[in-house]
Amino acid sequence: MSEPRTVALVTLGCARNEVDSEELAGRLAADGWQLVDDAAAADVAVVNTCGFVEAAKKDSVDALLEANDLKAHGRTQAVVAVGCMAERYGKELAEALPEADGVLGFDDYANISDRLQTILSGGIHASHTPRDRRKLLPISPSDRQAASEVALPGHAQAAPEPASAPQDLPEDLPEGLAPASGPRAPLRRRLDDSPVASVKLASGCDRRCSFCAIPSFRGSFISRRPSDVLGETRWLAEQGVKEIMLVSENNTSYGKDLGDIRLLETLLPELAAVDGIERVRVSYLQPAEMRPGLIDVLTSTPKVAPYFDLSFQHSAPGVLRAMRRFGDTEHFLELLETIRSKAPEAGVRSNFIVGFPGESEADLEELERFLGAARLDAIGVFGYSDEEGTEAAGYADKLDEDVVAERLARVSRLAEELTAQRAEERLGSTVHVLVESVDEEEGAVGRAAHQAPETDGQVVLTSQEGLAPGTFAAAKVVDTEGVDLVAEPLGTTEEARR
């Protein structure tokens, strides 16, 4: 009997890419491939690339080159690029990077096993020709659910089980959207044993921010059905997951193509009620689309984290209009005040772009004024750079690179100071920490409700007694280290409740 084919998935970029990699892993495992962690131990190394900004694209190319080096002295026979960069550039990437044995787009995901087998056998699968994926779906969101031929990474489900439809779907779900048969298992295989997992809520984006190319290669916005999201969450809970993070390019638009823009408000309590799930977190929220009802659900539903990942990007109105975005300092501060009036300890994070074409010194000072008043828990700052295919790439009034770099350093320093101050405001408070690792040297480390994975800091617990990955502990904050908190455990959450 021949040895099973082995494959390693190397994932770069955001949590959405992580979900896509686990879908690919599920497809490959279902077809008999053996998944391995180390690319050097794999017949094929599949690199799930990021195509968002220049730095991310460089990281993707470096990862492909590193994987290619394994072919000279390891088991690896082929290196294949998938993901956003592969989808965005296709043949162009294949020509520029001959070290990659294959460049596969999203349309290849459904046949990933056959594609890899062809490449492994020495055959050639032609790299795809990139196309604007916004044009693949109907303009009207209400017509998109019927477009089943369009590849949507992270949406895949196995065949439905013969059973009646789930009884816990929202009662007002538009007619015809509930499945006729039973719940479907996700076509997904976990690639780690973390107690946290992302669940894709939707794909694509209908917004047309002038600096962003993502819609062109991720496509227009399309929601997953609530039954699929619920089914995947139940499956993850069975795998030991305690916290799910809902991801997409824009979660505040969820449901608009299903006939109900308020569907997220209905779905969140359903997800929080899934047996085994202790925390539900929502990421990627658009400030201009925040609704009073959504704020209410996010701040008052048990097990739903009062966490707001708000995409502000700037606060000077002139810069925001050039970005094709809405809002200003005062409206953003009013939104934050509304949130904190309902949940004073709510976590808020955001990203900002400095050095945008036409940004004046007064605009930058306006952004600094907003940051000083906003009390954000985590701040990401990026210097503007042209992205091909975007409206902003053609703007006049570009700032010199050294000016952009200076502004980036200036606002980054401010952000570091402000987020450290915000962490200090939590001294003496009680936080509920999901323990993610326990190590003899580093102790027990986890995250509170205001901290998302990898982006928002962590909580270091002063004792690890009785704690294990996946447990929740109530803890009193006794110190800070930048954005990180140091906390003294008060016992597990259940013990603290007693």
Side-chain angles (χ1 to χ4, degrees):
M1 184 176 180
S2 60
E3 287 188 49
R5 302 160 295 178
T6 56
V7 59
L9 286 141
V10 180
T11 307
L12 295 94
C14 64
R16 290 160 289 181
N17 257 16
E18 294 171 6
V19 176
D20 296 350
S21 284
E22 293 198 347
E23 179 194 309
L24 292 174
R27 291 183 180 278
L28 291 166
D31 203 45
W33 289 77
Q34 180 180 334
L35 302 170
V36 296
D37 296 330
D38 185 1
D43 296 319
V44 184
V46 177
V47 180
N48 192 348
T49 61
C50 179
F52 180 38
V53 293
E54 203 60 40
K57 288 184 277 191
K58 181 180 183 303
D59 288 344
S60 296
V61 170
D62 289 345
L64 287 163
L65 293 175
E66 289 173 12
N68 182 69
D69 289 343
L70 298 175
K71 292 192 290 187
H73 49 74
R75 172 170 176 164
T76 309
Q77 301 173 50
V79 175
V80 175
V82 298
C84 291
M85 190 175 179
E87 173 64 35
R88 184 176 181 183
Y89 296 105
K91 291 181 178 179
E92 181 182 342
L93 177 62
E95 293 170 359
L97 198 69
E99 291 86 353
D101 299 287
V103 176
L104 305 181
F106 296 151
D107 293 333
D108 291 306
Y109 282 21
N111 300 299
I112 186 68
S113 179
D114 290 344
R115 301 290 187 263
L116 296 190
Q117 186 58 57
T118 296
I119 294 168
L120 189 60
S121 301
I124 297 175
H125 178 71
S127 301
H128 77 107
T129 300
R131 51 186 175 165
D132 189 340
R133 296 188 73 86
R134 290 172 294 189
K135 299 178 180 179
L136 302 183
L137 291 166
I139 293 176
S140 171
S142 62
D143 295 332
R144 292 176 187 164
Q145 288 289 325
S148 58
E149 72 280 359
V150 177
L152 298 170
H155 288 225
Q157 305 287 321
E161 298 175 2
S164 60
Q167 299 301 307
D168 54 0
L169 292 177
E171 293 181 0
D172 57 352
L173 189 66
E175 183 178 357
L177 290 179
S181 56
R184 299 182 292 171
L187 195 56
R188 177 173 181 173
R189 175 69 66 91
R190 297 217 68 203
L191 294 173
D192 59 40
D193 58 359
S194 170
V196 184
S198 296
V199 175
K200 189 167 282 192
L201 198 60
S203 286
C205 186
D206 287 342
R207 302 186 72 87
R208 293 295 179 262
C209 300
S210 63
F211 56 83
C212 183
I214 288 176
S216 67
F217 55 86
R218 277 289 184 179
S220 297
F221 186 89
I222 186 164
S223 304
R224 293 182 72 193
R225 295 168 186 255
S227 56
D228 288 346
V229 178
L230 281 163
E232 186 163 331
T233 299
R234 293 191 184 100
W235 178 83
L236 288 167
E238 292 170 358
Q239 311 302 308
V241 169
K242 300 299 181 183
E243 175 182 326
I244 62 163
M245 184 167 72
L246 300 178
V247 299
S248 76
E249 280 73 18
N250 177 11
N251 281 332
T252 36
S253 281
Y254 180 68
K256 72 176 185 179
D257 51 327
L258 298 175
D260 184 0
I261 190 59
R262 295 176 177 81
L263 194 53
L264 182 56
E265 289 95 304
T266 306
L267 180 60
L268 283 171
E270 297 278 351
L271 294 170
V274 171
D275 189 30
I277 296 298
E278 296 296 328
R279 181 184 287 162
V280 178
R281 184 183 305 278
V282 184
S283 62
Y284 305 115
L285 300 169
Q286 285 290 341
E289 297 181 30
M290 290 300 295
R291 307 174 289 276
L294 179 56
I295 295 173
D296 287 342
V297 171
L298 287 169
T299 55
S300 66
T301 307
K303 297 188 178 182
V304 173
Y307 176 80
F308 293 80
D309 177 9
L310 295 164
S311 177
F312 289 125
Q313 301 298 347
H314 212 283
S315 74
V319 176
L320 286 168
R321 301 307 171 269
M323 290 179 169
R324 303 297 183 201
R325 298 178 65 84
F326 303 94
D328 55 44
T329 294
E330 301 310 323
H331 283 93
F332 290 164
L333 291 177
E334 288 174 9
L335 172 59
L336 295 177
E337 176 59 29
T338 299
I339 290 168
R340 288 175 175 141
S341 70
K342 299 174 182 294
E345 298 301 314
V348 186
R349 80 166 326 275
S350 191
N351 293 325
F352 300 88
I353 298 173
V354 297
F356 195 78
E359 181 191 61
S360 67
E361 176 64 26
D363 292 330
L364 192 67
E365 291 174 359
E366 181 69 1
L367 173 58
E368 291 173 325
R369 183 174 78 88
F370 170 69
L371 292 175
R375 297 169 54 230
L376 302 178
D377 292 278
I379 299 171
V381 187
F382 301 88
Y384 173 81
S385 62
D386 286 338
E387 275 296 308
E388 57 189 287
T390 63
E391 181 183 355
Y395 282 179
D397 299 325
K398 299 279 178 63
L399 302 184
D400 291 340
E401 289 185 7
D402 58 343
V403 174
V404 175
E406 186 277 327
R407 292 185 177 186
L408 173 61
R410 168 178 159 182
V411 177
S412 295
R413 286 193 299 270
L414 176 63
E416 187 174 345
E417 294 171 4
L418 293 172
T419 51
Q421 292 172 14
R422 176 60 179 147
E424 290 174 358
E425 292 180 26
R426 297 188 182 274
L427 284 169
S429 67
T430 298
V431 292
H432 295 275
V433 181
L434 171 58
V435 179
E436 293 184 305
S437 65
V438 178
D439 183 273
E440 287 188 6
E441 294 183 3
E442 298 185 6
V445 178
R447 289 175 301 99
H450 69 281
Q451 297 168 317
E454 300 182 5
T455 59
D456 299 345
Q458 61 187 13
V459 179
V460 179
L461 297 167
T462 59
S463 170
Q464 57 182 284
E465 183 177 354
L467 300 178
T471 59
F472 273 83
K476 181 179 179 180
V477 180
V478 296
D479 200 1
T480 65
E481 298 176 355
V483 296
D484 296 338
L485 305 180
V486 179
E488 178 182 340
L490 304 173
T492 64
T493 297
E494 287 301 320
E495 291 171 341
R497 286 173 183 158
R498 291 197 294 268

